Amino acid sequence: MKNFNAILLMPLVALLVLAISACNGEQDKSLEKSSPRLAPFVSNIDVNNSTISGVSLGVIEVISIGSSNINSFRLEGKGFSNFSISNSGEILTTPETILDCIATPLYNLQVIARNTYGDSQPMDVMIQVNCMDVPVIRPISKEIDSTTTGYIGEFLFSRTGISDVPYSDIKYIEIKGESSENFNLSNIPAIYLDIPYGYGANDKYEYLVRVVNQNDKVGPYVSMNIYVDVLE
């Protein structure tokens, strides 16, 4: 009787193995055909540097290369020919670059990466061209835990105006992003977090910040990334 039951079970086991294999095959097939995934890119360049070939504006962040190495990147959008992009994702000025901080203060472009299996989804590239009298704040990253409140760091400025005047020249700092209302940026250049991220926070929060000085000159948006260690 036991042998009879075993014989009956054998086809069922075989079918189960085939089903699992087919499922894994579909997963493997999906993985084999995955293309790259990119993060948004934000940068700025002073207009006086725009006539210098080879000035780096930064490197595209790759979230995932997909199922094979990235072969190339390309830029698209109005005015993209003012910039070049290397096979490593670095955006540079070219000998043909002509930028005007008054006529075109902002370039909204897209970047696409390509691997063996195809193109990534287009990702936003924002490049601001700074006139020399605008305040420029530097990108910043901070690591905190989910219970942190109060002082978490300070902004650094490339300049606050045409003559690099003191912080008193700054009118305010603007911030955009999820839970941005929890920050207090009024005590320049200090960064204060009034409300903690708390339990269930994400690992990373991405913000855009820019500075406005007393002459109402508006600087470019730059990134402020907050990495959160969630404490339970």
Side-chain angles (χ1 to χ4, degrees), residues 52-65:
I52 304 172
S53 177
V55 174
S56 176
L57 282 82
V59 178
I60 299 295
E61 178 185 351
V62 178
I63 297 174
S64 170
I65 65 170

Side-chain angles (χ1 to χ4, degrees), residues 140-156:
I140 186 171
S141 294
K142 289 294 176 182
E143 296 181 8
I144 63 174
D145 64 54
S146 56
T147 64
T148 297
T149 57
Y151 174 86
I152 64 171
E154 292 188 359
F155 289 112
L156 296 176

Side-chain angles (χ1 to χ4, degrees), residues 32-140:
E32 287 173 0
K33 293 186 176 181
S34 62
S35 55
R37 290 172 53 226
L38 308 177
F41 178 85
V42 179
S43 187
N44 65 91
I45 182 172
D46 288 345
V47 70
N48 64 321
N49 290 327
S50 66
T51 57
I52 304 172
S53 177
V55 174
S56 176
L57 282 82
V59 178
I60 299 295
E61 178 185 351
V62 178
I63 297 174
S64 170
I65 65 170
S67 300
S68 70
N69 289 332
I70 293 175
N71 301 321
S72 63
F73 292 83
R74 70 178 185 271
L75 293 172
E76 296 182 349
K78 185 177 181 180
F80 80 92
S81 59
N82 281 299
F83 309 95
S84 67
I85 186 166
S86 71
N87 288 338
S88 61
E90 184 177 19
I91 298 179
L92 304 157
T93 57
T94 75
E96 289 74 40
T97 298
I98 301 176
L99 302 179
D100 186 327
C101 65
I102 302 297
T104 311
L106 184 66
Y107 287 84
N108 287 307
L109 309 176
Q110 291 187 315
V111 61
I112 298 168
R114 184 173 182 82
N115 68 8
T116 304
Y117 300 100
D119 290 348
S120 67
Q121 291 295 317
M123 188 51 67
D124 292 337
V125 169
M126 185 169 70
I127 299 173
Q128 181 160 327
V129 183
N130 307 325
C131 295
M132 293 307 295
D133 59 349
V134 302
V136 179
I137 201 168
R138 298 180 188 176
I140 186 171

